[in-house]
mmCIF file of all heavy atoms in Angstrom:
data_model
loop_
_atom_site.group_PDB
_atom_site.id
_atom_site.type_symbol
_atom_site.label_atom_id
_atom_site.label_comp_id
_atom_site.label_asym_id
_atom_site.label_seq_id
_atom_site.Cartn_x
_atom_site.Cartn_y
_atom_site.Cartn_z
ATOM 1 N N VAL A 928 0.845 -1.199 0.000
ATOM 2 C CA VAL A 928 0.000 0.000 0.000
ATOM 3 C C VAL A 928 0.881 1.251 0.000
ATOM 4 O O VAL A 928 1.754 1.398 0.859
ATOM 5 C CB VAL A 928 -0.943 0.000 1.213
ATOM 6 C CG1 VAL A 928 -1.842 1.230 1.174
ATOM 7 C CG2 VAL A 928 -1.772 -1.274 1.237
ATOM 8 N N GLU A 929 0.653 2.138 -0.957
ATOM 9 C CA GLU A 929 1.400 3.392 -1.077
ATOM 10 C C GLU A 929 0.413 4.558 -1.080
ATOM 11 O O GLU A 929 0.061 5.082 -2.145
ATOM 12 C CB GLU A 929 2.236 3.374 -2.359
ATOM 13 C CG GLU A 929 3.220 2.207 -2.423
ATOM 14 C CD GLU A 929 4.067 2.231 -3.682
ATOM 15 O OE1 GLU A 929 4.194 3.315 -4.297
ATOM 16 O OE2 GLU A 929 4.588 1.179 -4.058
ATOM 17 N N PRO A 930 -0.046 5.007 0.098
ATOM 18 C CA PRO A 930 -1.144 5.969 0.156
ATOM 19 C C PRO A 930 -0.772 7.385 -0.274
ATOM 20 O O PRO A 930 -1.663 8.210 -0.480
ATOM 21 C CB PRO A 930 -1.539 5.948 1.639
ATOM 22 C CG PRO A 930 -0.285 5.541 2.342
ATOM 23 C CD PRO A 930 0.398 4.575 1.420
ATOM 24 N N ASP A 931 0.534 7.679 -0.408
ATOM 25 C CA ASP A 931 0.910 9.029 -0.830
ATOM 26 C C ASP A 931 0.951 9.177 -2.340
ATOM 27 O O ASP A 931 1.260 10.247 -2.848
ATOM 28 C CB ASP A 931 2.252 9.430 -0.217
ATOM 29 C CG ASP A 931 3.372 8.465 -0.570
ATOM 30 O OD1 ASP A 931 3.061 7.327 -0.962
ATOM 31 O OD2 ASP A 931 4.539 8.855 -0.448
ATOM 32 N N ARG A 932 0.642 8.127 -3.062
ATOM 33 C CA ARG A 932 0.615 8.218 -4.524
ATOM 34 C C ARG A 932 -0.793 8.512 -5.011
ATOM 35 O O ARG A 932 -1.770 7.942 -4.522
ATOM 36 C CB ARG A 932 1.121 6.915 -5.150
ATOM 37 C CG ARG A 932 2.573 6.606 -4.795
ATOM 38 C CD ARG A 932 3.114 5.468 -5.599
ATOM 39 N NE ARG A 932 3.226 5.806 -7.028
ATOM 40 C CZ ARG A 932 3.767 4.988 -7.922
ATOM 41 N NH1 ARG A 932 4.197 3.803 -7.554
ATOM 42 N NH2 ARG A 932 3.847 5.353 -9.176
ATOM 43 N N LEU A 933 -0.902 9.391 -5.987
ATOM 44 C CA LEU A 933 -2.213 9.719 -6.553
ATOM 45 C C LEU A 933 -2.816 8.505 -7.231
ATOM 46 O O LEU A 933 -4.006 8.241 -7.093
ATOM 47 C CB LEU A 933 -2.089 10.862 -7.557
ATOM 48 C CG LEU A 933 -1.791 12.251 -6.997
ATOM 49 C CD1 LEU A 933 -1.641 13.244 -8.133
ATOM 50 C CD2 LEU A 933 -2.887 12.690 -6.048
ATOM 51 N N TYR A 934 -1.990 7.792 -7.981
ATOM 52 C CA TYR A 934 -2.482 6.585 -8.635
ATOM 53 C C TYR A 934 -1.310 5.647 -8.900
ATOM 54 O O TYR A 934 -0.151 6.064 -8.945
ATOM 55 C CB TYR A 934 -3.215 6.894 -9.945
ATOM 56 C CG TYR A 934 -2.446 7.729 -10.945
ATOM 57 C CD1 TYR A 934 -1.499 7.149 -11.790
ATOM 58 C CD2 TYR A 934 -2.686 9.095 -11.070
ATOM 59 C CE1 TYR A 934 -0.807 7.912 -12.708
ATOM 60 C CE2 TYR A 934 -1.986 9.863 -11.986
ATOM 61 C CZ TYR A 934 -1.048 9.266 -12.804
ATOM 62 O OH TYR A 934 -0.347 10.019 -13.715
ATOM 63 N N VAL A 935 -1.641 4.372 -9.049
ATOM 64 C CA VAL A 935 -0.662 3.348 -9.403
ATOM 65 C C VAL A 935 -1.249 2.572 -10.573
ATOM 66 O O VAL A 935 -2.341 2.012 -10.472
ATOM 67 C CB VAL A 935 -0.378 2.398 -8.224
ATOM 68 C CG1 VAL A 935 0.570 1.276 -8.667
ATOM 69 C CG2 VAL A 935 0.220 3.151 -7.044
ATOM 70 N N ASP A 936 -0.525 2.535 -11.675
ATOM 71 C CA ASP A 936 -1.009 1.875 -12.893
ATOM 72 C C ASP A 936 -0.062 0.750 -13.275
ATOM 73 O O ASP A 936 1.110 0.993 -13.576
ATOM 74 C CB ASP A 936 -1.113 2.898 -14.024
ATOM 75 C CG ASP A 936 -1.554 2.268 -15.337
ATOM 76 O OD1 ASP A 936 -2.099 1.143 -15.309
ATOM 77 O OD2 ASP A 936 -1.358 2.899 -16.395
ATOM 78 N N HIS A 937 -0.550 -0.479 -13.251
ATOM 79 C CA HIS A 937 0.233 -1.629 -13.671
ATOM 80 C C HIS A 937 -0.095 -2.060 -15.103
ATOM 81 O O HIS A 937 0.405 -3.080 -15.570
ATOM 82 C CB HIS A 937 -0.018 -2.814 -12.733
ATOM 83 C CG HIS A 937 0.528 -2.610 -11.357
ATOM 84 N ND1 HIS A 937 1.867 -2.663 -11.051
ATOM 85 C CD2 HIS A 937 -0.103 -2.337 -10.182
ATOM 86 C CE1 HIS A 937 2.051 -2.449 -9.762
ATOM 87 N NE2 HIS A 937 0.877 -2.238 -9.207
ATOM 88 N N GLY A 938 -0.945 -1.326 -15.765
ATOM 89 C CA GLY A 938 -1.352 -1.690 -17.122
ATOM 90 C C GLY A 938 -2.634 -2.485 -17.131
ATOM 91 O O GLY A 938 -3.623 -2.074 -17.738
ATOM 92 N N ASP A 939 -2.644 -3.621 -16.440
ATOM 93 C CA ASP A 939 -3.856 -4.436 -16.387
ATOM 94 C C ASP A 939 -4.763 -4.056 -15.224
ATOM 95 O O ASP A 939 -5.970 -4.271 -15.272
ATOM 96 C CB ASP A 939 -3.504 -5.917 -16.303
ATOM 97 C CG ASP A 939 -2.690 -6.246 -15.058
ATOM 98 O OD1 ASP A 939 -1.880 -5.397 -14.629
ATOM 99 O OD2 ASP A 939 -2.863 -7.342 -14.506
ATOM 100 N N VAL A 940 -4.177 -3.500 -14.157
ATOM 101 C CA VAL A 940 -4.951 -3.005 -13.025
ATOM 102 C C VAL A 940 -4.401 -1.644 -12.615
ATOM 103 O O VAL A 940 -3.201 -1.394 -12.748
ATOM 104 C CB VAL A 940 -4.931 -3.969 -11.819
ATOM 105 C CG1 VAL A 940 -5.614 -5.281 -12.152
ATOM 106 C CG2 VAL A 940 -3.511 -4.219 -11.341
ATOM 107 N N ALA A 941 -5.272 -0.776 -12.127
ATOM 108 C CA ALA A 941 -4.850 0.561 -11.708
ATOM 109 C C ALA A 941 -5.723 1.012 -10.545
ATOM 110 O O ALA A 941 -6.924 0.727 -10.509
ATOM 111 C CB ALA A 941 -4.948 1.550 -12.868
ATOM 112 N N THR A 942 -5.109 1.725 -9.599
ATOM 113 C CA THR A 942 -5.833 2.198 -8.419
ATOM 114 C C THR A 942 -5.558 3.682 -8.217
ATOM 115 O O THR A 942 -4.494 4.182 -8.601
ATOM 116 C CB THR A 942 -5.387 1.430 -7.157
ATOM 117 O OG1 THR A 942 -3.953 1.538 -7.006
ATOM 118 C CG2 THR A 942 -5.749 -0.050 -7.263
ATOM 119 N N SER A 943 -6.512 4.381 -7.615
ATOM 120 C CA SER A 943 -6.329 5.805 -7.314
ATOM 121 C C SER A 943 -6.577 6.045 -5.838
ATOM 122 O O SER A 943 -7.315 5.313 -5.182
ATOM 123 C CB SER A 943 -7.278 6.668 -8.153
ATOM 124 O OG SER A 943 -8.625 6.369 -7.857
ATOM 125 N N ALA A 944 -5.941 7.100 -5.316
ATOM 126 C CA ALA A 944 -5.926 7.330 -3.867
ATOM 127 C C ALA A 944 -7.276 7.778 -3.330
ATOM 128 O O ALA A 944 -7.746 7.286 -2.307
ATOM 129 C CB ALA A 944 -4.859 8.355 -3.522
ATOM 130 N N GLY A 945 -7.897 8.722 -3.969
ATOM 131 C CA GLY A 945 -9.175 9.242 -3.507
ATOM 132 C C GLY A 945 -10.049 9.563 -4.694
ATOM 133 O O GLY A 945 -9.665 9.351 -5.846
ATOM 134 N N ALA A 946 -11.227 10.115 -4.412
ATOM 135 C CA ALA A 946 -12.149 10.396 -5.506
ATOM 136 C C ALA A 946 -11.549 11.392 -6.492
ATOM 137 O O ALA A 946 -11.604 11.202 -7.713
ATOM 138 C CB ALA A 946 -13.468 10.916 -4.944
ATOM 139 N N GLY A 947 -10.955 12.482 -5.968
ATOM 140 C CA GLY A 947 -10.347 13.470 -6.852
ATOM 141 C C GLY A 947 -9.187 12.892 -7.640
ATOM 142 O O GLY A 947 -8.994 13.200 -8.818
ATOM 143 N N ALA A 948 -8.399 12.034 -6.979
ATOM 144 C CA ALA A 948 -7.282 11.387 -7.672
ATOM 145 C C ALA A 948 -7.778 10.461 -8.768
ATOM 146 O O ALA A 948 -7.029 10.142 -9.700
ATOM 147 C CB ALA A 948 -6.426 10.604 -6.672
ATOM 148 N N GLY A 949 -9.032 10.023 -8.670
ATOM 149 C CA GLY A 949 -9.603 9.202 -9.726
ATOM 150 C C GLY A 949 -9.647 9.932 -11.050
ATOM 151 O O GLY A 949 -9.485 9.329 -12.113
ATOM 152 N N ILE A 950 -9.867 11.248 -11.007
ATOM 153 C CA ILE A 950 -9.848 12.031 -12.247
ATOM 154 C C ILE A 950 -8.454 12.010 -12.848
ATOM 155 O O ILE A 950 -8.281 11.833 -14.058
ATOM 156 C CB ILE A 950 -10.315 13.469 -11.979
ATOM 157 C CG1 ILE A 950 -11.757 13.478 -11.477
ATOM 158 C CG2 ILE A 950 -10.171 14.324 -13.236
ATOM 159 C CD1 ILE A 950 -12.285 14.852 -11.142
ATOM 160 N N ASP A 951 -7.425 12.184 -11.995
ATOM 161 C CA ASP A 951 -6.048 12.140 -12.491
ATOM 162 C C ASP A 951 -5.749 10.796 -13.138
ATOM 163 O O ASP A 951 -5.110 10.732 -14.193
ATOM 164 C CB ASP A 951 -5.070 12.387 -11.335
ATOM 165 C CG ASP A 951 -5.115 13.815 -10.826
ATOM 166 O OD1 ASP A 951 -4.512 14.687 -11.466
ATOM 167 O OD2 ASP A 951 -5.768 14.042 -9.802
ATOM 168 N N LEU A 952 -6.202 9.720 -12.501
ATOM 169 C CA LEU A 952 -5.961 8.391 -13.060
ATOM 170 C C LEU A 952 -6.674 8.231 -14.401
ATOM 171 O O LEU A 952 -6.098 7.727 -15.373
ATOM 172 C CB LEU A 952 -6.422 7.309 -12.087
ATOM 173 C CG LEU A 952 -6.381 5.871 -12.602
ATOM 174 C CD1 LEU A 952 -4.996 5.498 -13.108
ATOM 175 C CD2 LEU A 952 -6.842 4.903 -11.525
ATOM 176 N N CYS A 953 -7.925 8.650 -14.476
ATOM 177 C CA CYS A 953 -8.669 8.512 -15.735
ATOM 178 C C CYS A 953 -8.000 9.304 -16.858
ATOM 179 O O CYS A 953 -7.891 8.819 -17.998
ATOM 180 C CB CYS A 953 -10.117 8.962 -15.543
ATOM 181 S SG CYS A 953 -11.106 7.862 -14.495
ATOM 182 N N LEU A 954 -7.533 10.508 -16.565
ATOM 183 C CA LEU A 954 -6.851 11.304 -17.581
ATOM 184 C C LEU A 954 -5.519 10.664 -17.971
ATOM 185 O O LEU A 954 -5.117 10.706 -19.136
ATOM 186 C CB LEU A 954 -6.631 12.728 -17.064
ATOM 187 C CG LEU A 954 -7.898 13.577 -16.947
ATOM 188 C CD1 LEU A 954 -7.606 14.867 -16.186
ATOM 189 C CD2 LEU A 954 -8.466 13.904 -18.326
ATOM 190 N N HIS A 955 -4.847 10.075 -17.014
ATOM 191 C CA HIS A 955 -3.616 9.336 -17.310
ATOM 192 C C HIS A 955 -3.896 8.193 -18.291
ATOM 193 O O HIS A 955 -3.129 7.967 -19.244
ATOM 194 C CB HIS A 955 -3.027 8.801 -16.001
ATOM 195 C CG HIS A 955 -2.080 7.660 -16.170
ATOM 196 N ND1 HIS A 955 -0.765 7.817 -16.597
ATOM 197 C CD2 HIS A 955 -2.244 6.321 -15.961
ATOM 198 C CE1 HIS A 955 -0.180 6.636 -16.645
ATOM 199 N NE2 HIS A 955 -1.042 5.711 -16.273
ATOM 200 N N LEU A 956 -5.002 7.480 -18.090
ATOM 201 C CA LEU A 956 -5.351 6.381 -18.991
ATOM 202 C C LEU A 956 -5.692 6.897 -20.386
ATOM 203 O O LEU A 956 -5.352 6.270 -21.395
ATOM 204 C CB LEU A 956 -6.515 5.586 -18.407
ATOM 205 C CG LEU A 956 -6.229 4.886 -17.074
ATOM 206 C CD1 LEU A 956 -7.487 4.224 -16.536
ATOM 207 C CD2 LEU A 956 -5.101 3.872 -17.217
ATOM 208 N N VAL A 957 -6.366 8.044 -20.447
ATOM 209 C CA VAL A 957 -6.675 8.647 -21.745
ATOM 210 C C VAL A 957 -5.386 8.984 -22.489
ATOM 211 O O VAL A 957 -5.262 8.751 -23.697
ATOM 212 C CB VAL A 957 -7.533 9.911 -21.559
ATOM 213 C CG1 VAL A 957 -7.606 10.715 -22.854
ATOM 214 C CG2 VAL A 957 -8.938 9.530 -21.106
ATOM 215 N N ARG A 958 -4.421 9.509 -21.764
ATOM 216 C CA ARG A 958 -3.146 9.850 -22.408
ATOM 217 C C ARG A 958 -2.467 8.599 -22.953
ATOM 218 O O ARG A 958 -1.912 8.616 -24.055
ATOM 219 C CB ARG A 958 -2.224 10.558 -21.420
ATOM 220 C CG ARG A 958 -0.960 11.125 -22.077
ATOM 221 C CD ARG A 958 -0.050 11.774 -21.053
ATOM 222 N NE ARG A 958 0.892 12.648 -21.719
ATOM 223 C CZ ARG A 958 2.015 12.255 -22.303
ATOM 224 N NH1 ARG A 958 2.318 10.976 -22.311
ATOM 225 N NH2 ARG A 958 2.814 13.118 -22.881
ATOM 226 N N LYS A 959 -2.508 7.515 -22.193
ATOM 227 C CA LYS A 959 -1.929 6.268 -22.678
ATOM 228 C C LYS A 959 -2.648 5.771 -23.924
ATOM 229 O O LYS A 959 -2.022 5.260 -24.857
ATOM 230 C CB LYS A 959 -2.007 5.201 -21.583
ATOM 231 C CG LYS A 959 -1.013 5.353 -20.465
ATOM 232 C CD LYS A 959 -1.154 4.244 -19.440
ATOM 233 C CE LYS A 959 -0.871 2.879 -20.027
ATOM 234 N NZ LYS A 959 -0.949 1.801 -19.003
ATOM 235 N N ASP A 960 -3.967 5.920 -23.932
ATOM 236 C CA ASP A 960 -4.768 5.398 -25.043
ATOM 237 C C ASP A 960 -4.650 6.246 -26.295
ATOM 238 O O ASP A 960 -4.568 5.713 -27.409
ATOM 239 C CB ASP A 960 -6.242 5.315 -24.638
ATOM 240 C CG ASP A 960 -6.512 4.288 -23.561
ATOM 241 O OD1 ASP A 960 -5.666 3.415 -23.341
ATOM 242 O OD2 ASP A 960 -7.592 4.378 -22.926
ATOM 243 N N HIS A 961 -4.673 7.576 -26.138
ATOM 244 C CA HIS A 961 -4.847 8.455 -27.298
ATOM 245 C C HIS A 961 -3.889 9.634 -27.345
ATOM 246 O O HIS A 961 -4.083 10.537 -28.160
ATOM 247 C CB HIS A 961 -6.300 8.960 -27.345
ATOM 248 C CG HIS A 961 -7.302 7.861 -27.478
ATOM 249 N ND1 HIS A 961 -7.445 7.131 -28.640
ATOM 250 C CD2 HIS A 961 -8.178 7.333 -26.594
ATOM 251 C CE1 HIS A 961 -8.385 6.211 -28.462
ATOM 252 N NE2 HIS A 961 -8.839 6.314 -27.234
#
């Protein structure tokens, strides 16, 4: 568990720290995709 990270992305699974950090994670995935 690394609670000071906004998100952790392993490619097949990804987690975000809080609700707001979920937006950062989703945008990170968009950048990877497109």
Side-chain angles (χ1 to χ4, degrees):
V928 182
E929 302 182 21
D931 57 341
R932 298 190 67 175
L933 289 177
Y934 54 81
V935 176
D936 178 18
H937 292 286
D939 61 326
V940 295
T942 55
S943 62
I950 298 178
D951 290 281
L952 173 55
C953 291
L954 289 169
H955 160 77
L956 297 175
V957 168
R958 188 182 198 278
K959 285 181 63 177
D960 293 343
H961 299 290

